[in-house]
């Protein structure tokens, strides 16, 4: 038997319903906030992720699925969406309309070579919202609230709290990095092997190291908030003020740095408000990325959420399957032919119909109709059919009615 690759999964049954429910929410929020859908390739030039997500980030050093194609091109399966969207924004010159923000959303599979565990897969799905061309603090608040409301609308069995921080501008980060190095250097040998390298290549990454997460040395680490420039501090204060106005449940988390290199200023994560602290999504400003990848200087902000993690927090009982309007029962050849023709007609009238697919007995068909919670059972019976009549049983009241076959569509449409 051939089995699926490690870290991948099949979605079917109730999970498919959960996925469709989240997709529906994402599309509906995109509509109300006026974001337009975008689709980009599953694979991109590896250089794109090196230059955006960061050469020294965990994603690029350990997690990308890299391959060389038959034309010797170095490609990677996308580990996240932002880099591709920025590439597409520049390549397709979407910055043409300078007066208005460009608002894009996606809902796509991503690939990271991670150690699979609950909520951490090698193939997973992210929905994301990216907004280009506005540096207003209102935009930060609007985007953060979009994700927060969407997650709250998903009827999760846990509450969500927004973790918020600011990485400030280049100057703030460079001052902070110096302070970090100064603090950590005496403890170098007590850090994990990766962090010993990070201190030289990208000290900020030490703050989100999975190995050193519980290391007591990191508990007393300097906080970035103390190194923010006055402008960055003011900007952050305004964002917090707006989140208060919108009454969003947030807390300032001064250890939050996010695992991707392109961020500056506001960063945030949606985390469950319990001991599990499951991160459902995250994002932030990336005001320099468009320029760094060759586009015009364009501020931008966005976030993405992991759909599988959200699905894990939706109770099965909270999802109603698609209800069957009518189950068509048939036994003999004449009844089966009538079932074929009538089901076709009813489905064209938008009714959800199931039929006897497997030559079942009357008893088994009644049982299946009950299991499917069919509202009506249409008992096609040769005797009735000869008189131009069709027996309809209301499966809730158990009442049976003989309906003229020419009126069956109207009868069902009015009684459903
Ligand atoms: P990220 O924090 O790397 O950000 O991923 C966002 C979300 O994707 C995570 O919070 C998590 O729910 C989900 N996720 C990440 N890795 C996995 C995995 N291996 N298995 C299952 N779910 C996973 C980004 O990707 C940024 N592009 C977000 C962003 C958009 N920033 C600005 N715009």
């Amino acid at each position: 038997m051939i089995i699926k690759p490690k870290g991948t999964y099949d979605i079917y049954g109730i999970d498919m319903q959960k996925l469709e429910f989240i997709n529906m929410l994402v599309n509906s929020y995109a509509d109300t906030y006026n974001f337009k859908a975008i689709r980009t390739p599953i694979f991109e030039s590896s250089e794109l992720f090196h230059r955006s997500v960061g050469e020294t980030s965990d994603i690029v050093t350990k997690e990308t699925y890299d391959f060389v194609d038959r034309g010797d091109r170095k490609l990677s399966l996308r580990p996240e969406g932002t880099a591709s969207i920025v590439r597409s924004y520049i390549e397709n010159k979407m910055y043409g309309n300078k007066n208005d923000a460009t608002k894009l959303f996606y809902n796509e599979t991503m690939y990271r070579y991670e150690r699979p565990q609950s909520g951490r897969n090698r193939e997973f799905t992210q929905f994301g919202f990216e907004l280009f061309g506005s540096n207003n603090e209102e935009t930060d608040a609007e985007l953060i609230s979009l994700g927060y409301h969407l997650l709250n609308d998903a009827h999760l069995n846990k509450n969500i709290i927004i973790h918020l921080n600011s990485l400030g501008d280049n100057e703030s980060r460079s001052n902070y990095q110096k302070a970090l190095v100064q603090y950590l250097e005496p403890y170098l040998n007590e850090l994990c092997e990766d962090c010993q390298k990070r201190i030289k290549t990208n000290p900020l990454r030490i703050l989100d190291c999975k190995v050193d997460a519980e290391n007591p040395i990191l508990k007393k680490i300097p906080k970035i908030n103390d190194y923010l420039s006055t402008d960055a501090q003011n900007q952050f204060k305004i964002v917090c003020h707006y989140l208060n106005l919108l009454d969003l449940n947030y807390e300032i988390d001064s250890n939050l740095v996010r695992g991707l290199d392109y961020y500056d200023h506001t960063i945030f994560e949606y985390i469950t408000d319990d001991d599990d602290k499951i991160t459902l999504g995250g994002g932030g400003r990336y005001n320099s990325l468009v320029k760094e990848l060759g586009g015009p200087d364009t501020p931008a902000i966005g976030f993405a959420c992991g759909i599988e993690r959200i699905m894990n927090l939706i109770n099965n009982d909270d999802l109603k399957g698609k209800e069957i309007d009518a189950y068509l029962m048939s036994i003999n050849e004449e009844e089966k032919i009538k079932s074929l023709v009538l089901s076709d007609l009813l489905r064209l009238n938008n009714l959800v119909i199931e039929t006897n697919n497997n030559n079942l007995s009357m008893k088994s068909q009644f049982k299946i109709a009950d299991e499917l919670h069919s509202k009506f059972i249409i008992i096609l019976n040769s005797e009735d059919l000869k008189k131009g009549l069709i027996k309809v049983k209301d499966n809730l009241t158990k009442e049976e009615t003989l309906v003229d076959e020419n009126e069956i569509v109207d009868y069902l449409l009015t009684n459903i």
Side-chain angles (χ1 to χ4, degrees):
M1 185 180 65
I2 299 169
I3 58 165
K4 58 188 178 318
K6 196 172 169 184
T8 65
Y9 53 89
D10 303 313
I11 302 188
Y12 55 92
I14 190 90
D15 285 339
M16 200 65 213
Q17 277 183 46
K18 291 182 186 178
L19 180 67
E20 283 171 353
F21 168 63
I22 299 165
N23 290 345
M24 184 273 295
L25 269 184
V26 171
N27 289 337
S28 125
Y29 271 79
D31 274 352
T32 44
Y33 282 77
N34 193 29
F35 279 75
K36 304 292 179 218
I38 179 166
R39 212 176 98 166
T40 56
I42 283 186
F43 56 86
E44 296 268 3
S45 132
S46 301
E47 190 194 349
L48 174 66
F49 302 112
H50 285 245
R51 282 178 53 190
S52 52
V53 174
E55 204 80 63
T56 53
S57 65
D58 274 5
I59 294 181
V60 164
T61 51
K62 301 180 190 163
E63 295 170 3
T64 43
Y65 277 87
D66 300 322
F67 63 99
V68 177
D69 78 358
R70 290 168 201 271
D72 269 346
R73 299 173 193 90
K74 287 187 182 154
L75 301 168
S76 301
L77 297 186
R78 61 177 172 221
E80 59 106 47
T82 313
S84 305
I85 306 299
V86 173
R87 195 260 317 130
S88 175
Y89 176 80
I90 300 168
E91 191 172 340
N92 295 299
K93 298 192 173 51
M94 293 183 210
Y95 43 80
N97 184 2
K98 287 210 178 79
N99 295 325
D100 207 5
T102 305
K103 297 161 80 174
L104 303 168
F105 83 102
Y106 50 94
N107 190 347
E108 309 260 35
T109 49
M110 308 289 162
Y111 302 84
R112 294 186 192 176
Y113 192 83
E114 298 208 67
R115 186 178 302 169
Q117 50 187 281
S118 169
R120 201 171 283 287
N121 307 301
R122 291 184 174 172
E123 182 186 62
F124 59 100
T125 315
Q126 274 186 351
F127 66 79
F129 289 80
E130 315 284 351
L131 189 150
F132 297 89
S134 166
N135 199 17
N136 292 354
E137 290 84 358
E138 297 93 298
T139 307
D140 298 40
E142 191 178 300
L143 212 84
I144 294 171
S145 77
L146 189 173
Y148 181 74
H149 292 318
L150 195 162
L151 289 171
N152 275 308
D153 238 3
H155 303 292
L156 307 181
N157 54 24
K158 291 178 193 281
N159 289 326
I160 304 296
I161 182 158
I162 302 160
H163 286 232
L164 187 73
N165 201 11
S166 172
L167 291 176
D169 44 30
N170 283 341
E171 183 200 332
S172 315
R173 275 194 313 287
S174 134
N175 289 339
Y176 179 54
Q177 292 200 0
K178 276 183 210 142
L180 267 186
V181 175
Q182 212 172 14
Y183 168 82
L184 287 170
E185 253 169 355
Y187 306 110
L188 209 56
N189 295 336
E190 294 167 56
L191 297 175
C192 79
E193 220 173 285
D194 278 345
C195 283
Q196 295 189 12
K197 287 185 205 141
R198 286 176 183 131
I199 202 160
K200 292 195 190 83
T201 55
N202 193 345
L204 222 63
R205 292 276 71 82
I206 296 175
L207 275 93
D208 52 30
C209 172
K210 285 164 199 150
V211 180
D212 270 330
E214 292 308 315
N215 190 333
I217 295 160
L218 294 200
K219 305 270 180 233
K220 292 192 204 128
I221 207 151
K223 308 285 183 215
I224 188 151
N225 315 59
D226 297 327
Y227 296 84
L228 292 184
S229 66
T230 316
D231 276 356
Q233 266 180 40
N234 287 339
Q235 219 170 318
F236 190 48
K237 271 188 202 145
I238 300 174
V239 173
C240 293
H241 172 59
Y242 289 162
L243 296 187
N244 289 334
L245 285 182
L246 293 173
D247 207 15
L248 303 188
N249 185 19
Y250 78 93
E251 68 181 32
I252 295 174
D253 177 352
S254 46
N255 283 332
L256 183 67
V257 284
R258 308 264 311 126
L260 306 99
D261 278 356
Y262 45 64
Y263 293 114
D264 48 23
H265 294 284
T266 312
I267 51 167
F268 54 97
E269 283 185 346
Y270 302 107
I271 301 183
T272 59
D273 194 6
D274 62 355
D275 290 344
D276 293 341
K277 298 207 177 310
I278 303 163
T279 307
L280 299 181
R285 277 214 163 269
Y286 46 95
N287 283 350
S288 314
L289 187 59
V290 177
K291 189 161 181 219
E292 273 165 22
L293 291 181
D297 202 356
T298 310
I301 181 167
F303 73 89
C305 290
I307 287 198
E308 293 75 12
R309 294 192 190 175
I310 300 172
M311 281 164 59
N312 288 344
L313 301 186
I314 297 177
N315 292 335
N316 289 358
D317 297 347
D318 287 349
L319 280 179
K320 269 212 202 144
K322 248 214 163 61
E323 304 244 298
I324 304 288
D325 291 321
Y327 184 92
L328 269 57
M329 282 177 64
S330 59
I331 293 284
N332 65 30
E333 202 53 31
E334 184 192 358
E335 293 160 7
K336 279 184 192 156
I337 289 170
K338 187 70 192 172
S339 170
L340 174 73
V341 176
L342 183 58
S343 57
D344 197 49
L345 174 68
L346 295 176
R347 285 171 180 145
L348 288 175
N349 281 279
N350 291 326
L351 291 162
V352 184
I353 302 298
E354 193 47 274
T355 61
N356 177 12
N357 296 309
N358 221 358
N359 302 326
L360 299 173
S361 68
M362 293 285 275
K363 193 173 163 201
S364 305
Q365 291 185 64
F366 273 120
K367 193 165 162 239
I368 295 225
D370 278 344
E371 281 170 9
L372 292 172
H373 303 291
S374 183
K375 289 176 214 148
F376 287 95
I377 300 177
I378 296 182
I379 306 162
L380 297 168
N381 165 315
S382 299
E383 292 305 306
D384 296 333
L385 292 178
K386 278 192 194 95
K387 296 179 215 150
L389 297 172
I390 288 176
K391 191 182 283 172
V392 181
K393 180 177 176 183
D394 183 320
N395 209 17
L396 195 69
T397 62
K398 306 295 175 203
E399 200 179 308
E400 291 185 358
T401 315
L402 274 172
V403 180
D404 186 306
E405 74 171 302
N406 296 321
E407 288 163 18
I408 187 76
V409 175
D410 284 346
Y411 179 85
L412 288 174
L413 287 175
T414 35
N415 287 287
I416 254 141

